[in-house]
Amino acid sequence: MTQTAAMQALLAQNREVSVADFETHYHQQQAAVQDRATQSALNTELTPDLLSELGQYDQLATLQTKVNQLATQLSKLNDQQQVTTLKLAETKMQVARLTQDATYEELLQQQAAKEEQINDLVFEWLSNQLAAKLVGQVVDQAVQNRQPEILTLTKTYFKLLTQNRYNEVNFTEQGIRLTRFDEQQFDVVELSKGTAQQLYLAVALAFAVTIGRQLPMPILIDDAFVSFDGVRRQTALKLLEEISRQNQVIYFTAGETVKMAFDATQVNLLTQ
């Protein structure tokens, strides 16, 4: 019996009509086996949570749209990641260059210097504010009885010390108001440190001169002008010279600048 005859006999036993029908049946069986394998793999990969989420989509088209949206988002995130990676690489290169050519160290030193400068400025501002408040308190105490003589001398001395930049010193219930030559008014706390010290000096001298007229006594000053600039120092010394015509003034100093402003006959050197 030939092979063909044997196949025909086998087909007859399985009630198959022809070889073509047998091959069709065979491929169907193979497909079914493949489908069962695929379904088994999917059952392994598809967790209950994933199945629950997929259950929200009743149509394949809706699910495909969602997949496309997620794919688009993923593509954008990949692009952003590439851009971020490039920027990170550029930043690392810049840091490496700065470190190698010492520019980074110089910038750190400049930053430290600026921070120290800011701290100094803050300390100076706080010192000025405190000095201004102290001046205001001393002035208020000195003129709390509103003695006309003290007020008049304070205005005169302050005008001389500021070289006519301030024309009026007014004492009110709210505090001290000072009027500049251009009619602009200031509170004590708005004055510069140098001007506030000039106001304090004017009040102190006015108070000392007024009390001295009632109870004669020398005016003792201990290097009070060390923080004055050259112009303020000269105007202060000029005021002392004017006051010394009627009051004894003794000025103590260790500096040569103030010493040179006086006549040799007015200077006494103190030695051990």
Side-chain angles (χ1 to χ4, degrees):
M1 183 180 293
T2 63
Q3 183 177 3
T4 301
M7 182 176 293
Q8 290 290 347
L10 180 62
L11 291 174
Q13 294 177 1
N14 289 279
R15 299 180 181 181
E16 297 291 347
V17 177
S18 65
V19 173
D21 292 336
F22 178 81
E23 290 180 349
T24 300
H25 180 70
Y26 174 78
H27 288 306
Q28 289 176 348
Q29 292 294 323
Q30 289 291 95
V33 172
Q34 183 64 37
D35 288 342
R36 286 194 294 271
T38 301
Q39 183 177 2
S40 177
L42 288 175
N43 289 336
T44 302
E45 296 179 1
L46 295 176
T47 63
D49 291 339
L50 183 57
L51 288 173
S52 176
E53 186 173 351
L54 290 174
Q56 300 176 6
Y57 304 96
D58 55 354
Q59 296 182 0
L60 179 61
T62 305
L63 178 60
Q64 188 61 49
T65 300
K66 183 63 175 180
V67 170
N68 293 337
Q69 292 175 351
L70 293 175
T72 301
Q73 294 178 4
L74 179 60
S75 177
K76 291 181 179 179
L77 290 175
N78 288 333
D79 293 340
Q80 293 176 0
Q81 183 181 15
Q82 292 180 0
V83 173
T84 303
T85 302
L86 290 175
K87 289 183 178 180
L88 178 61
E90 293 176 357
T91 302
K92 288 182 177 180
M93 292 178 61
Q94 292 176 357
V95 171
R97 286 197 300 268
L98 290 173
T99 304
Q100 291 174 0
D101 63 9
T103 304
Y104 180 69
E105 294 295 333
E106 292 178 0
L107 291 176
L108 287 179
Q109 293 178 0
Q110 292 177 9
Q111 180 184 3
K114 291 296 183 181
E115 290 176 351
E116 184 177 357
Q117 183 179 4
I118 291 174
N119 290 334
D120 292 340
L121 290 175
V122 170
F123 180 78
E124 181 180 357
W125 181 83
L126 291 174
S127 298
N128 290 343
Q129 292 296 307
L130 178 60
K133 289 184 178 180
L134 290 176
V135 168
Q137 292 175 1
V138 170
V139 171
D140 287 340
Q141 292 176 4
V143 297
Q144 59 183 349
N145 295 326
R146 300 295 193 272
Q147 298 184 34
E149 192 173 2
I150 294 179
L151 297 178
T152 301
L153 286 178
T154 297
K155 295 177 183 180
T156 301
Y157 292 165
F158 188 60
K159 184 176 181 180
L160 189 151
L161 288 170
T162 60
Q163 296 182 313
N164 298 322
R165 286 187 296 110
Y166 288 87
N167 300 326
E168 289 292 335
V169 179
N170 298 311
F171 302 92
T172 66
E173 295 296 334
Q174 291 73 30
I176 304 172
R177 296 287 291 176
L178 302 109
T179 304
R180 203 166 59 183
F181 66 92
D182 56 1
E183 301 302 324
Q184 187 172 357
Q185 294 188 341
F186 299 88
D187 292 326
V188 175
V189 294
E190 296 178 299
L191 299 177
S192 67
K193 182 178 180 180
T195 305
Q197 289 176 336
Q198 287 177 315
L199 176 60
Y200 173 82
L201 178 62
V203 173
L205 291 176
F207 185 80
V209 169
T210 301
I211 297 301
R213 291 173 180 173
Q214 302 173 5
L215 180 64
M217 64 179 68
I219 299 175
L220 305 180
I221 303 175
D222 186 9
D223 233 354
F225 309 147
V226 290
S227 60
F228 282 11
D229 57 30
V231 175
R232 286 190 172 99
R233 186 184 303 110
Q234 290 300 321
T235 54
L237 292 174
K238 182 179 179 181
L239 175 59
L240 290 184
E241 183 179 0
E242 181 70 23
I243 293 175
S244 67
R245 295 177 181 177
Q246 297 180 350
N247 299 80
Q248 183 182 17
V249 178
I250 302 176
Y251 189 96
F252 296 92
T253 181
E256 292 294 325
T257 303
V258 175
K259 173 185 172 183
M260 295 174 59
F262 292 94
D263 186 86
T265 59
Q266 299 175 301
V267 177
N268 291 322
L269 297 178
L270 301 179
T271 59
Q272 295 182 349

